[in-house]
Each structure stands twice: as C-alpha cells, then as structure tokens.
C-alpha cells in the first residue's frame, strides 16, 4: 500500500484519478453546500473542493469518502476486504514454524512496531499560530448542514484526548457545534471513549482537534477500537507508515504534524451546555441535550489551510463508506471472537447499528441464538438493534436472498427472539433513551433438535445441465444475459 502523507497528497491522487471536481463559484456553507453534496453523494459523484465558500478564505473539501472506489484509493487496495486481511494476518499470528515463516513473522511484528506514532520537532500544521483573542472559528467555512440545525457544526474532526488515569491517547470523530468564535460543544456520546476520558477528569481535560488529515488517519478517528488502543496506532499500521506528531502550542498533547488545521483547548468537568438539534445519520434531527463545552486556546494552521467537512443525513450519505470500511476491516477481529461467523453486513439503510445480517457455519442447535447474544456483547456491535442470522451459503450482502431466507425459513413463534439492552445514543425509537428492545431473527435451516420436521432440500439445477446450456446458448438464438 502506498502511503499518502497528508490531505494534499490525497487531493492530488483524487485529481489524477478523475475523482475530484473543483468548484470555483462562491457557494454558501449555510445549507447550500449540503444540497449540492447530497445530490452528488446519492448519484455516486466525485469529491468536491469548494474553492470559495462564502465568508471564508479557506477552501472546503467534501465527499472525499463518498464511493467504494475512493475508499479503496484511500487505503491503496483493490477491495476493502484486503485491508481487513492485513489486520487479520496480525491477529491470527501463530508461533512460526520453519525459517520462511519466522522471517514472515518478523516482518509482521516489525509492521506493528513501526505503527507507533513518531514525535517530530515541527510540522506544517503550525505554520500559522493564533492564540487567545486571535482565535476565531469564524475564519473557517463551518457548515450549517440542515435547516433545523442549531448552528454550524464541525463534522469531520479527529478529537484527541488522554485518559487522565492511564495516559492512553484516544482519537474519535465527534461533531462540534460552534457556539462562538472561541468555543464549541463536544458531542461525546455515552458509549464512547472520548466521553470516558471526560468523565475521568475532575478538573480540566486538554483536547486537540485535528482537521484535514490523510484519509487513513481521518478514517481511524471513526474506528471502533477498544479504549486501550490508540487510534493513531491503527492509522500507522494501515498506512504502513507512522503518523508524525508535534507538540501542541497550548496543550499537553501531541497533534498530527501534517494536519491542515488544529484546534487546541480544554473541557472542564461539569461545564456543559445544550447542544443540538442536529440532522444526523439516523435521518432525523437529534434533539437538544447537554454536552461539554470545548474552549479553544489556540488555532494553528497551514498557510492556505483546507477545511474538511462531511454531511450526514438520511442514508446513503458520505459516511456510508466510512462505515463500510469499518465493517470490512473489523471482520477478522469479529471472527477472532466468534469463529463460526463467516461474514456480516451492516446495511447502510439501517444506519449501521439498526441491523446486522450475519452468516454462520452452523453445527449445533441454538447456535443462531448464541450469535445474536455474541453480537449484543461485542464492542460497538452491542448497540445493534436487530440481528438476522443466516446459513454460511447465504450471501449476506444480497438483501433479496436474505429476505427470501427470513420469510421462507422462519417460524415467527419459534425463531424470533426478543431481548433488551443498550441502544445507540441517538436512537429515537425506544421509550427510554439508551435502552430498549432487541430483535433476533433466526433464518438458518433448523435442526431436528430445534423443532424442525423434515427440512426440505433447496432447489438447485444439476451441474451437467448448467454446463450444457452454457455451451449451447448461442445455438438457441437467445441474447446474452448478464446476470
Ligand atoms: C461522520 C461521523 C460523525 C460522527 N459523529 C459522532 C458524534 O457526534 N458523537 C459520537 O459520539 N460519535 C460520532 N461518530 C462515531 C464515532 O466517531 C465512533 O464511534 C468512534 O469509534 C468513536 O471513537 P471512540 O470510541 O474512541 O470514542 C461519528 C462518526 C462519523 C463517521
Ligand atoms: Mn477509542
């Protein structure tokens, strides 16, 4: 995988690949950009670089992640599963046997060792340094995305904190509503590591926000890693090159040296205000709720810094492909914990946490129910509202086939499991916030011990006849069918 050092390398690659369009007309970050981008995303269109966002001197980049092809370009792979395989190779490492394996094993260990972020003395992210009264968020083309939004929101940040007790770094992507020139809210939802760092402080917690990163580091901020794993480590591993960091000017944190823009500042225990509403990836406005206030003590930038943004809303939106990347990259990790899982799909239309379709290699009665409980107990997948389990031969990405199995193989009285547990922070459906019902649907073939009578064979044409028809197709005088 080739390494993209920063956002500029990435923009250059997108341009070479015909995947980016520059918009030189003046366009308003208040709603107008959203409407342009929403149409572009839903049509599978290019990344957009708005060179003259109204009211700002900084260009705005959006839709950089909006298609599978661009996501693959970002990771330097043919298919997103290739990224998962790279991670899986390390997770599945066994004691090597023989010299060749030992050498391969060492290379893998080295790739982990080289993933650790590197400190450097200076970086372009600090070419311009604004502190105290000079800090001015009005300089940035922060979008107001939807008509009912409470204000402008920074939507594509990498928010950096340290656990006050363990010192472990955390990086997450959390929307930030602009309050005024020098403060924003920090939308740390209750299940997130960033929130844990905030809750662990009884005083001030330093926070740094990096904007405009190479695409892999930006993606890593959205990745659901366990709390003790630094997202920059994952970024370094997936890039094949360590993320370089420089010391913050006013915070005791290191920040990505190549960022376009960095906001440094702090939150304080108990210092909260009412954030929202915001038109979110659920397709609905999330209602106003208290969140911590982020006070900005320094704003550092490159000269001519480019401001990155994303619009979420009714799916599919640009974040669909960040989510799909996570689905593919984390499959090997999911299979490490639950080896009978063959594949899974989190439908974009299900906003990811609303539904998971899982295929399994079924060998014992009750196994589909085991899988449902496993999903409801596994990292961020625990927030999944509905789990559909199918047999290994079903393609989980083929929703028509899944629907066929769910309707054909299910006795609703026997195969539907209703449970309860934690739900996504933003889920508006349950009567109480954060907790509610869970639905499991067992669409696998049933075993005698599970109360099946005879389970009939599935219809399949014989291989000989398929072969015969394939060979004689032209002879029939029929047009080619592209199934
Ligand atoms: C575009 C985008 C916006 C997001 N906005 C938020 C947000 O406002 N609040 C939040 O808690 N998570 C948000 N997320 C999800 C988190 O980034 C994700 O859960 C991440 O794993 C959190 O990191 P953490 O577990 O280290 O806290 C967003 C994800 C994306 C892709
Ligand atoms: Mn984390």
């Amino acid at each position: 995988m080739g390494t993209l050092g920063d956002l500029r390398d990435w923009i250059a690659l997108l341009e070479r690949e015909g995947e980016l369009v520059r918009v030189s007309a003046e366009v308003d970050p208040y709603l107008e950009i959203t409407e342009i981008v929403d149409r572009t995303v839903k049509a599978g269109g290019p990344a957009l670089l708005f060179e003259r966002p109204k009211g700002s001197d900084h260009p705005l980049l959006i839709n950089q992640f909006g298609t599978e092809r661009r996501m693959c370009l970002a990771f330097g792979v043919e298919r997103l599963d290739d990224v998962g395989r790279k991670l899986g190779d390390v997770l599945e490492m066994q004691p090597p046997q023989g010299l060749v394996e030992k050498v391969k094993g060492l290379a893998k260990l080295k790739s982990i060792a080289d993933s650790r972020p590197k400190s450097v003395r200076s970086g372009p992210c600090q070419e311009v340094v604004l502190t105290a009264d000079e800090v001015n968020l009005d300089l940035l083309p922060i979008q107001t995305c939807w008509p009912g939004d409470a204000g402008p929101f920074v939507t594509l940040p990498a928010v950096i904190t340290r656990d006050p007790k363990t010192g472990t770094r955390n990086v997450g992507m959390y929307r930030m509503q602009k309050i005024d020139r020098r403060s924003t809210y920090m939308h740390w939802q209750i299940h997130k590591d960033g929130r844990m760092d905030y809750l662990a402080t009884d005083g001030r917690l330093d926070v740094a926000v990096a904007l405009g990163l190479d695409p892999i580091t930006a993606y890593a901020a959205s990745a659901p890693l366990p709390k003790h794993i630094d997202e920059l480590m994952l970024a370094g591993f997936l890039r094949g090159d360590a993320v370089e960091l420089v010391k913050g000017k006013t915070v005791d944190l290191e920040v990505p040296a190549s960022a376009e823009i960095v906001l440094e500042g702090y939150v304080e225990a108990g210092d909260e205000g009412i954030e929202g509403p915001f038109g979110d990836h659920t397709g609905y406005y999330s209602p106003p709720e208290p969140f911590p206030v982020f006070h900005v003590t320094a704003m550092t930038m490159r000269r001519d810094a480019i401001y990155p943004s994303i619009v979420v809303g009714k799916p599919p939106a640009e974040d669909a492909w960040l989510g799909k990347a996570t689905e593919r990259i984390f499959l090997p990790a999911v299979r490490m914990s639950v080896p009978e899982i063959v594949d899974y799909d989190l439908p974009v239309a299900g906003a990811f946490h609303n539904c998971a379709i899982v295929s399994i290699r079924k060998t014992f009665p009750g196994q589909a129910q085991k899988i449902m409980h496993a999903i409801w107990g596994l990292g961020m997948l625990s927030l999944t509202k509905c789990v559909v389990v199918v047999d290994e031969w079903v393609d989980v990405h083929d929703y028509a086939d899944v629907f066929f199995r769910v309707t054909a193989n299910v006795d609703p009285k026997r195969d539907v499991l209703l449970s309860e547990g934690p739900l996504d922070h933003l889920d508006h459906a349950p009567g109480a916030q954060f907790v509610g019902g869970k639905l499991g649907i067992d669409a696998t073939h049933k075993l005698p011990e599970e109360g099946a009578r005879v389970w009939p064979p599935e219809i399949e044409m014989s291989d000989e006849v398929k072969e015969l028809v394939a060979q004689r197709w032209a002879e029939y005088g029929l047009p080619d069918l592209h199934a």
Side-chain angles (χ1 to χ4, degrees), residues 1 81-91 111 236-240 332:
M1 297 183 208
D81 278 308
D82 298 341
V83 188
R85 205 164 298 122
K86 187 176 171 193
L87 200 60
D89 274 356
V90 170
L91 291 174
S111 72
F237 177 75
L238 295 178
R239 279 158 45 94

Side-chain angles (χ1 to χ4, degrees), residues 234-478:
L234 175 71
F237 177 75
L238 295 178
R239 279 158 45 94
D241 201 3
V243 178
E244 295 190 342
L245 301 175
V246 288
K247 278 207 169 85
K249 294 287 182 189
T250 60
V251 289
D252 186 19
L253 290 169
E254 291 185 296
V255 302
S258 75
E260 295 289 321
I261 302 163
V262 175
L263 307 176
E264 303 180 358
Y266 62 90
V267 295
E268 261 174 326
D271 177 16
E272 299 186 357
I274 301 300
E275 195 255 16
F278 176 69
D280 216 317
H281 75 122
T282 56
Y284 290 82
Y285 287 99
S286 50
E289 243 192 291
F291 277 95
V293 178
F294 171 53
H295 301 275
V296 186
T297 52
M299 187 168 164
T300 78
M301 293 188 271
R302 290 180 181 235
R303 273 175 234 108
D304 318 314
I306 298 165
Y307 174 83
S309 194
I310 188 170
V311 170
V312 298
K314 277 198 197 129
E318 183 184 346
D319 61 326
W321 287 104
L322 288 169
K324 277 290 155 192
T326 289
E327 176 199 291
R328 292 296 95 199
I329 292 170
F330 282 79
L331 174 60
V334 168
R335 288 165 61 165
M336 273 285 283
S337 307
V338 194
E340 66 262 54
I341 289 181
V342 174
D343 200 357
Y344 72 146
D345 184 282
L346 308 176
V348 169
F352 293 102
H353 51 258
N354 286 339
C355 180
I357 302 160
V358 188
S359 60
I360 63 166
R361 211 167 288 115
K362 179 168 159 180
T363 55
F364 56 82
Q367 199 166 0
Q369 287 72 18
K370 177 204 159 181
I371 296 301
M372 296 167 194
H373 293 293
I375 295 290
W376 292 329
L378 198 62
M380 281 297 112
L381 281 173
S382 62
L383 303 179
T384 305
K385 194 149 64 170
C386 172
V387 179
V388 178
V389 185
V390 294
D391 288 299
E392 58 185 301
W393 52 85
V394 179
D395 177 0
V396 290
H397 311 296
D398 179 347
Y399 300 152
D401 196 13
V402 171
F403 190 83
F404 163 61
R405 310 289 167 168
V406 166
T407 47
N409 291 343
V410 171
D411 170 356
K413 211 164 164 195
R414 181 193 59 198
D415 302 328
V416 169
L417 175 64
L418 280 177
S419 183
E420 48 198 296
L423 292 174
D424 187 80
H425 192 122
L426 300 178
D427 193 326
H428 56 267
Q433 197 180 13
F434 307 129
V435 287
K438 304 271 193 179
L439 172 68
I441 300 176
D442 174 3
T444 62
H445 287 188
K446 302 304 173 313
L447 300 166
E449 299 91 330
E450 294 174 321
R453 288 173 291 125
V454 283
W455 202 268
E458 264 183 71
I459 301 170
E460 285 285 1
M461 181 46 71
S462 71
D463 286 343
E464 297 92 78
V465 174
K466 281 191 198 167
E467 185 57 27
L468 173 84
V469 169
Q471 279 177 7
R472 295 197 56 199
W473 196 259
E475 207 183 314
Y476 305 142
L478 292 169

Side-chain angles (χ1 to χ4, degrees), residues 12 50-51 97 132-133 175 193 197 208 239 310 384 403 414 457:
F50 289 97
E51 296 179 319
Q97 297 190 341
D133 287 350
R175 76 186 191 214
D193 298 339
D197 288 351
R239 279 158 45 94
I310 188 170
T384 305
F403 190 83
R414 181 193 59 198

Side-chain angles (χ1 to χ4, degrees), residues 170-175 187 189 192-194 221-224 231 322:
N170 190 72
V171 188
M173 189 175 283
Y174 324 98
R175 76 186 191 214
H187 192 255
Q189 297 166 13
K192 307 302 171 72
D193 298 339
S222 77
E231 281 80 2
L322 288 169

